[in-house]
Amino acid sequence: MSNFYKKILDNNKQWVESQLALDPDYFNDLSKGQNPPLLWIGCSDSRVPANEIIGAKPGEVFVHRNIANLVIHTDMNMLSVLDYAVNALKVKHIIVCGHYGCGGVKAAMGNESIGIIDNWIRHIKDLFRIHQEELLSIDDEEKRFNKLVELNVVEQVYDLAKTSIVQNAWKIGQELSLHGWVYGLNSGYVTDLDVNFSCNKDLDEVFKLNI
Ligand SMILES: [Zn+2]
């Protein structure tokens, strides 16, 4: 057995012991149910662990992660997580959190074929095309990359707001706010991009649903 594999099993035992030492009912209480106020939609990148970077405990964050934190409205996985989070768990906030240095966004800016992922990050290429003028006017490659990371987060927040699930929640008066963040791999800090929705009034007319 590899050292790493053995280590993570040992880590689990130690973690259980340390939690129980603090609170003997810790796992009993958690097993009774969850009531998280937040749905986190983030990147699969191993360096952006949702709970750790916001100091959240087990039970506080419902999490969905995929490559480049995309909200694709035909993605049954994302839609199922979103539906359950909004309609069953009644989360009050949804954060889309991208990160600078995102490999998915970087790959989308280039021309190399990587495999199946080419089709997934095509969504980011579409976004690049929409913002082509602005992006190509940025000479510094790193800054252009950062800008696309930010534009991608903003777009995904809009795409969340366009879903029937989110619009339906607003229609029935459920408290639900959407936010967009970018995490800095080299600083540990998140930046709030100030793209906030709590109703559908800022959506383009064509996306507003009469639910
Ligand atoms: Zn990423």
Side-chain angles (χ1 to χ4, degrees):
M1 212 184 320
S2 75
N3 283 342
F4 175 76
Y5 189 76
K6 187 177 177 311
K7 192 180 85 179
I8 58 176
L9 285 168
D10 289 343
N11 285 350
N12 172 253
K13 289 196 187 79
Q14 283 172 22
W15 177 69
V16 171
E17 283 162 17
S18 65
Q19 294 302 121
L20 290 176
L22 290 170
D23 177 5
D25 290 324
Y26 185 72
F27 295 103
N28 274 339
D29 290 344
L30 274 178
S31 69
K32 287 173 191 156
Q34 60 173 332
N35 188 24
L38 169 66
L39 166 61
W40 174 278
I41 299 179
C43 183
S44 299
D45 193 302
S46 61
R47 299 164 294 180
V48 196
N51 284 57
E52 279 90 334
I53 66 178
I54 56 172
K57 299 183 185 74
E60 291 184 328
V61 193
F62 203 60
V63 174
H64 177 76
R65 290 168 71 180
N66 62 42
I67 290 172
N69 42 270
L70 299 183
V71 174
I72 308 301
H73 66 280
T74 51
D75 175 2
M76 279 301 293
N77 187 352
M78 185 281 295
L79 289 174
S80 302
V81 170
L82 180 63
D83 183 57
Y84 191 74
V86 171
N87 291 320
L89 299 173
K90 310 244 186 270
V91 297
K92 292 189 166 44
H93 300 273
I94 304 177
I95 293 170
V96 176
C97 186
H99 65 103
Y100 296 117
C102 183
V105 174
K106 181 83 176 171
M109 292 176 80
N111 300 100
E112 197 181 335
S113 172
I114 303 164
I116 277 186
I117 192 178
D118 297 343
N119 304 287
W120 181 252
I121 60 177
R122 245 286 310 283
H123 296 287
I124 309 173
K125 287 181 184 286
D126 290 338
L127 188 65
F128 189 102
R129 181 177 51 79
I130 293 167
H131 297 278
Q132 194 154 222
E133 207 174 320
E134 180 184 5
L135 288 164
L136 293 179
S137 73
I138 303 171
D139 289 330
D140 185 276
E141 209 170 304
E142 192 70 17
K143 285 187 181 142
R144 190 191 304 158
F145 179 20
N146 289 346
K147 187 70 190 176
L148 185 55
V149 165
E150 292 166 4
L151 288 170
N152 183 46
V153 169
V154 171
E155 183 76 3
Q156 306 318 310
V157 177
Y158 270 81
D159 285 344
L160 267 181
K162 293 171 193 169
T163 63
S164 57
I165 297 164
V166 167
Q167 290 195 50
N168 186 56
W170 287 332
K171 191 78 177 180
I172 62 173
Q174 195 171 320
E175 182 188 340
L176 181 63
S177 308
L178 316 182
H179 318 272
W181 287 5
V182 182
Y183 175 74
L185 287 178
N186 55 8
S187 74
Y189 286 110
V190 294
T191 304
D192 187 341
L193 293 179
D194 208 22
V195 50
N196 302 297
F197 280 96
S198 50
C199 65
N200 70 357
K201 76 173 169 46
D202 290 333
L203 285 179
D204 282 335
E205 203 57 37
V206 74
F207 292 114
K208 291 178 183 168
L209 300 174
N210 291 323
I211 293 169

